[in-house]
Amino acid sequence: MKLIKAIVRPNKVDDVKEALGRVSLSGMTVTEVRGHGKQKGHTAIYRGKEYDVSLLPKMEIEVVVADNMVDDAVAAIIQAARTGEIGDGRVFVIPVEQSYRIRTGERSEL
Amino acid sequence: MKLIKAIVRPNKVDDVKEALGRVSLSGMTVTEVRGHGKQKGHTAIYRGKEYDVSLLPKMEIEVVVADNMVDDAVAAIIQAARTGEIGDGRVFVIPVEQSYRIRTGERSEL
Amino acid sequence: MKLIKAIVRPNKVDDVKEALGRVSLSGMTVTEVRGHGKQKGHTAIYRGKEYDVSLLPKMEIEVVVADNMVDDAVAAIIQAARTGEIGDGRVFVIPVEQSYRIRTGERSEL
Amino acid sequence: MKTFAAAALLCLLFPVSVLRAQSSPQPSIPQPLSAQAASPQPSALSPSASQASQSDLAKLDQRVTAAQSSADNAWMLVSAALVLMMTGPGLALFYGGLVRQKNTLAIMMQSFALMALITILWALVGYSLCFGEGTPIIGGFSHVLLRGVGVDPNADYGGTIPQLTFMVYQLMFAIITPALITGATAERMKFSGTVMFMSLWFLFVYAPLAHMVWGKGGLLNATLGGTFPTLDFAGGTVVHITSGVSALVCALYLGKRQGYPKEPMPPHSLVLSFMGACMLWVGWFGFNAGSALASNGLATSAFVATHFAAAAATIGWLVAEWTTRGRPSALGAISGAVAGLVAITPASGFVTPMPALVIGLVAGVGCFLMVTWVKSLFGYDDALDAFGVHGAGGTMGALLTGVFATRSVQAVFHDAQGRALPVGWIDGNIGQIGYQIVGIGMAWAFALVGTIVLLKITDLVVGVRASEEQEIEGLDLTEHGEEAYNLEM
Amino acid sequence: MKTFAAAALLCLLFPVSVLRAQSSPQPSIPQPLSAQAASPQPSALSPSASQASQSDLAKLDQRVTAAQSSADNAWMLVSAALVLMMTGPGLALFYGGLVRQKNTLAIMMQSFALMALITILWALVGYSLCFGEGTPIIGGFSHVLLRGVGVDPNADYGGTIPQLTFMVYQLMFAIITPALITGATAERMKFSGTVMFMSLWFLFVYAPLAHMVWGKGGLLNATLGGTFPTLDFAGGTVVHITSGVSALVCALYLGKRQGYPKEPMPPHSLVLSFMGACMLWVGWFGFNAGSALASNGLATSAFVATHFAAAAATIGWLVAEWTTRGRPSALGAISGAVAGLVAITPASGFVTPMPALVIGLVAGVGCFLMVTWVKSLFGYDDALDAFGVHGAGGTMGALLTGVFATRSVQAVFHDAQGRALPVGWIDGNIGQIGYQIVGIGMAWAFALVGTIVLLKITDLVVGVRASEEQEIEGLDLTEHGEEAYNLEM
Amino acid sequence: MKTFAAAALLCLLFPVSVLRAQSSPQPSIPQPLSAQAASPQPSALSPSASQASQSDLAKLDQRVTAAQSSADNAWMLVSAALVLMMTGPGLALFYGGLVRQKNTLAIMMQSFALMALITILWALVGYSLCFGEGTPIIGGFSHVLLRGVGVDPNADYGGTIPQLTFMVYQLMFAIITPALITGATAERMKFSGTVMFMSLWFLFVYAPLAHMVWGKGGLLNATLGGTFPTLDFAGGTVVHITSGVSALVCALYLGKRQGYPKEPMPPHSLVLSFMGACMLWVGWFGFNAGSALASNGLATSAFVATHFAAAAATIGWLVAEWTTRGRPSALGAISGAVAGLVAITPASGFVTPMPALVIGLVAGVGCFLMVTWVKSLFGYDDALDAFGVHGAGGTMGALLTGVFATRSVQAVFHDAQGRALPVGWIDGNIGQIGYQIVGIGMAWAFALVGTIVLLKITDLVVGVRASEEQEIEGLDLTEHGEEAYNLEM
Ligand SMILES: Nc1ncnc2c1ncn2[C@@H]1O[C@H](COP(=O)(O)OP(=O)(O)O)[C@@H](O)[C@H]1O
Ligand SMILES: Nc1ncnc2c1ncn2[C@@H]1O[C@H](COP(=O)(O)OP(=O)(O)O)[C@@H](O)[C@H]1O
Ligand SMILES: Nc1ncnc2c1ncn2[C@@H]1O[C@H](COP(=O)(O)OP(=O)(O)O)[C@@H](O)[C@H]1O
């Protein structure tokens, strides 16, 4: 089992969700985050004081999938989230050792 | 050492915190997230335009614990967070290779 | 490749960002979280009803780095985020198996 | 929901039938309204004569009457606007900030819907039930569809302003009163149930009480021939006791919210509540000083008493909190202010400034105790403390009015020779306390009985309590299909 | 941006040149203003004589005129303040809550900048263009730099109040009208483009329309000698049709927002919109009842009509929504209220309360259909429904004014003997509908043509549409260098 | 905290002792207040005579006086409400949005607590110290506990309105002045320290200044016999210079916030600040136009000047910002508006519209420079720019009043024959600039010295600066036990 952690543009969440649905993955957890990378930020000025707004709004999508689904899932995410412009984001794959469903309390294979 | 990542209902955070306290785990980090799974969402309508509100508010609790504590911790979380209804959430266990305490700067075994 | 997950005080984000920049790491993802640990919380009272505000605002910084950068990155974070007071936070290192850049769609070594 | 749709249909239909009655010049508006003062009027003087004639004087006299009317009307229109502002945005924000995020729009929506709903009911029959001629308990149907309510003053109700002004001013009171109750039913009452219950409550609890206290010949009216002259300048009994006591009944009937009191349910945005409280404070000048129905010294006096009581109650609550809890809170400050405003409401047109401070202090400390101590003692879930503040504060205020009312502010009672008689206890009329108790008792009784009956009926017809799932997901999404904030994009 | 800087420079320079004209006592203010009423005035009576002399009476007469003026002035100053409050914070919040978070300050800023910008233009030439003597189409330059506008009343425009009061009251209307348009251009129009376009639009669309409808001798003026007597009490055509129709043109010209309609763009904070809507409702009393230009019965009548229409339209929209969508929403409630307020605007000084309810109901249901059905049918991106509410609601209201206007409220037309003639259809004058259509047509035509031309010019000079990147990042950061919320610290 | 508790106890006790004095009819309220105008009055005419008698006229004369009083009272009550609205919610929101989230309630709470606290002090001694008879420096104790302050007008202070109206109107000024200072001490001053310091400051800095400038026989009074006739229509020196300069002293005394200026401290919600600024603008009409103390042409003139200056200053700040920083910001727009409102305050009742535009422009650009350039030059931490806007803007305004004041607006000075003399420089009286400088100097001196002394005392008794840990955790939680937002549930 793997945890796929994708950082995408805020307006791509719906597309990613749909794309994952198409490969029969429906469980996911989404977090508002702010990201920094190659994408250039902005300068905010409040009464003459300048602030660097270099952490830009992104969304982090976490999906835990069975090992054999990883490639499909990653491909789906990348395709749905890509615009081709700097700032599109990353996908990381992290090992998961156990997984439980709270409702039933049992260890699940997803 | 493992990172236990539990996605639970928002109103269960306090219960989980208490339950973890009872097995002598007090450190934890909590994040507001939105989750999608089997639980059915809602439809919001703004001036006739419908939106799918299928990402429902959840809380993600992250606890890093020593290997021998994992089972106790998972059990405590599941028991505290369970309502038996769809939408109760998941618990994932992820390997952690190193852990540091910033205050002291030293590598810790928790 | 590793995911470095650092939980720091909210006002230390900028310092950590700078410190990582100095070791040539610019990519990162930041999340608002609330943490519980040794640091004592507060009591809030609303019309006589007391609430435990024991989850204090923290920021979680996630950086994925190549294996050989882990020590530098951890050192930089710890140095930048330390105040020496209880509540400084933690750094966890988690294995990452794969990493993709969405824009190009290719698997990256960062 | 069917019931509501039917009622709504009615609303959609009725006007067609009444247009004819309205389309021909109303007898009550014999002169075009604009004739009164919009254009510069010719001087009243006949320029040739050096002696002023009686007819010159008569013309001038009319112009003075018009000027006085314009002056009073200006104040009363402003007051009406201020009282509407108390409900929306005032109360809506005050309550909206106190609930959890997922119920924000639902509670604000209830205030807003009442602004619309009560207005319609008021135009149809409400005004008539309150201020039309009738029995000592309730007005009649003489003003149904606002028949006979035009720009001419009604001598009994604001003799210097158009009756239409009085009508719309009083309407604003009728709006806020049921809206106050929603503080007790917050986070768990269905919208359809709220709509139906509040409509009934307005007709069967508010209207009689308003008529009894303020209507000519009303049972409790102090100046227009009531049997038990109860002093209630701006609505301590009519508005605050009725709504507060009904709120308690609702809280008990509905039962506790899921998870109460174990789960924390902190106010989701005290900033909103703060704004709301400030607007309540400012708007309350219209509520109390406007109740003079003229822009005279009595209005000023009520204005001052209102402001002083709010200030003293704020201090009262804060000191109580600081002393017993170690820290004074913003929520305490604004709660105190509202408590003071509630308590001074019945007294505002009868007391001098210093007693107003006392009334405020008592209410501030008293309501603090109600909300922190009495509530947790009995364990009912009055979600936003509608009873603790309005019911309790209103009752304290009504009693203290009997203590501090003085003829130096308003000579309510006169002897046969027209000399002013003492009004309250401090003025030498201890008996007034008795009448105040009668008034208070009547308001409590009506509110208690009326609310139980009407809630039961509503429950049978459309239901009152939201489902468990709705409560957990929040009423915003499940009842209204919306979320208060969508910040993530 | 260069253009704007130049204009701004002009602003910085002009006053120097006009100070001299202003520094000597203006002919229009021959008496110090304070002489009027600030201190207690000596009695008008010569104490010795027992017969009142004509000169005593003359003195008294002057004092009555002063009192009447003070009364009306009090109401009009309040009304002016209320109308300003409609734009800021009212409209700014209403719109600010409806956009996505990243464009919040940008849209609010547009309202605020218009509060400043239009004020300057108004002082320089705007008032003169609207209310100075001129042709049937546009006023002249007689009041440029407010020459001749002092504390003396102008008999044509509020004969009992200082002309300065009328001037500043009308200014508030000129501010909100272009601000309404920003609802259609939201989230994608450049700030510089907005500033330039709105300046031009105010001069070349608003000013002529205001003059035609309200100016003496204006083509459509109903009481001061127009050729086509159109009834528009408080700005149904002048304010709402012009802004609403221009909004539609802007929406079409600018094109859709990136991602519209596929991407969800829910309102980022309905709480803000709710507050804004409440303030609009309250402020609208100043807008409509203030249009009586006096604190008389007509003001009261307009006040009541305004409130009733808002209430009925709220119910109308909610019932439509409940029926067709299954749930009544807070956004529906506040949208309905605004629709009702828009529709009653032209009618408010001509109709009795019951027809006001009808107008409100029609507007509530009508605008609901416009916004949910017509808009998605045609697919234009009127981001915040400026056309759907103001254009459509204003048009409905202007038409219905012709139906329900009655001389019992305001005797607009008279025969040779001075007897009041019927006003609207229901009053017996079906022909008025025709004039209303003429007025509506003129407003539509002016708004359509003027907006296209001025947008094109603006586009050529400074550009109107923000870049794709700006739109994605949000206008707050890219146009103004700010973020609405910085909550994380 | 002990000190505060003691003071509070005093508050709780005092009224008991004064009730007796208040309970018997006050000599100043010989007639019941309601007699004035609440009911329709019988015509003044004796119907039989055809010649008007002197006594008929006398009756009519009284009614005219009542009508004039009602008209002016309507405006003044509204103005009082507007000025209260400036503090809460206006200023509280404006400041509340500018701080970081963790200090939101703390700063808003300070404004609210001052609404309560200053009211109590005002009733006890404050009004008397400001407007009671006394020395040229401070009033006496003649009006302690509001003795002698009833519905009869006081000829010196608003001869047509109840003295109670004047009293409560002036109170609102006394509330906002110390509240302005909290902008400089934001995010680091203890609540107990704030309460104690502000109480002292009100008594020992505000009261003398108010008496000197506005009190009869005050040293700087221009119309009621002062030695140095300083022009300050609505409080440029009394309100803005005193608070602004004291703010600077506080900022220097307290020292910088932790992390200032290295750490970013962006405003947590410009939406709140925007709302607050709009309410300040609207409320300021009560502040300035209300200072005419009547609903006359002078009030209108001040209203117009106020609005024009706010608009011009907005433009001024925005253009300066656009030119030097490349982007105009919403925070710039609202800051500019407030700067303009501050600067026009002393001038509003003395200048014609065009000079008002000039004053606004100067203040807009000037305060922009203060806040962006001068502040960073000197490096003091005036957290929310209370000095940069109020101190600097107030000083500019007070000076420019001396330049632009003209007898055509208000004839302040007269020669022996009662002819109006020139008022400001442009009117031909260059010497007025000198008096303005005296007034400004006096206000600066009082504020500087008074604030240092009182801060030191407060520091010794209860302490002024919050602990480092409190500052990091935020004052909301540590001082008040609350959080502004609890959005996660
Ligand atoms: N090394 C990293 N660790 C964690 N998150 C990263 C890392 N690099 C990039 N990100 C995330 O990916 C987002 C996009 O990265 P960026 O470099 O701006 O664009 P792109 O990936 O298209 O080159 C960032 O805003 C950040 O949230
Ligand atoms: N595969 C997954 N990866 C990540 N998060 C998941 C996954 N499946 C479920 N979740 C999280 O668990 C929550 C509950 O899941 P759901 O299927 O609705 O209920 P249940 O687990 O009780 O069947 C979801 O809202 C989501 O946050
Ligand atoms: N076991 C843990 N798992 C996850 N997060 C932790 C854990 N222990 C501590 N934290 C995070 O680190 C933060 C600081 O910890 P705390 O014990 O208060 O201070 P310190 O690390 O300086 O002793 C906590 O608020 C929490 O967010």
Side-chain angles (χ1 to χ4, degrees), chain D residues 39 48 60 90 94 113 141 145 170 243 245 251 256 308 348-349 443 468:
Chain D
S39 52
S48 53
L60 200 53
F94 187 64
F141 293 97
L145 298 179
Q170 285 296 339
S243 65
V245 171
K256 297 174 190 173
F308 279 25
S348 52
E468 187 177 336

Side-chain angles (χ1 to χ4, degrees), chain A residues 27-29 62-64 101 103 110, chain B residues 7 35-39 58 85-90 92:
Chain A
M28 75 181 67
T29 300
E62 292 181 320
V63 209
V64 175
R101 185 183 294 274
R103 172 160 48 90
L110 293 156
Chain B
I7 293 131
H36 184 252
K38 289 217 184 64
Q39 193 181 4
K58 301 279 170 194
E85 302 290 318
I86 286 181
D88 273 356
R90 303 293 165 97
F92 304 118

Side-chain angles (χ1 to χ4, degrees), chain E residues 330-415:
Chain E
L331 179 55
I334 61 177
S335 304
V338 174
L341 291 162
V342 167
I344 198 64
T345 296
S348 51
F350 303 110
V351 302
T352 54
M354 292 301 147
L357 286 177
V358 180
I359 292 173
L361 264 178
V362 170
V365 176
C367 290
F368 170 77
L369 293 176
M370 282 301 299
V371 158
T372 59
W373 185 64
V374 176
K375 183 165 90 163
S376 67
L377 200 74
F378 288 96
Y380 54 87
D381 182 12
D382 178 6
L384 314 182
D385 295 309
F387 173 68
V389 173
H390 297 276
T395 303
M396 293 175 211
L399 267 178
L400 293 173
T401 302
V403 176
F404 292 115
T406 158
R407 69 201 126 164
S408 74
V409 173
Q410 194 184 155
V412 186
F413 309 123
H414 298 88
D415 63 9

Side-chain angles (χ1 to χ4, degrees), chain C residues 42-51, chain D residues 261 264-265 267 270 325 327 335 384-385:
Chain C
H42 299 274
T43 315
I45 313 184
Y46 299 104
R47 287 193 177 157
K49 240 179 108 50
E50 304 203 356
Y51 297 116
Chain D
M265 300 176 176
L270 283 181
R325 307 273 163 172
R327 282 174 305 192
S335 304
L384 315 181
D385 295 309

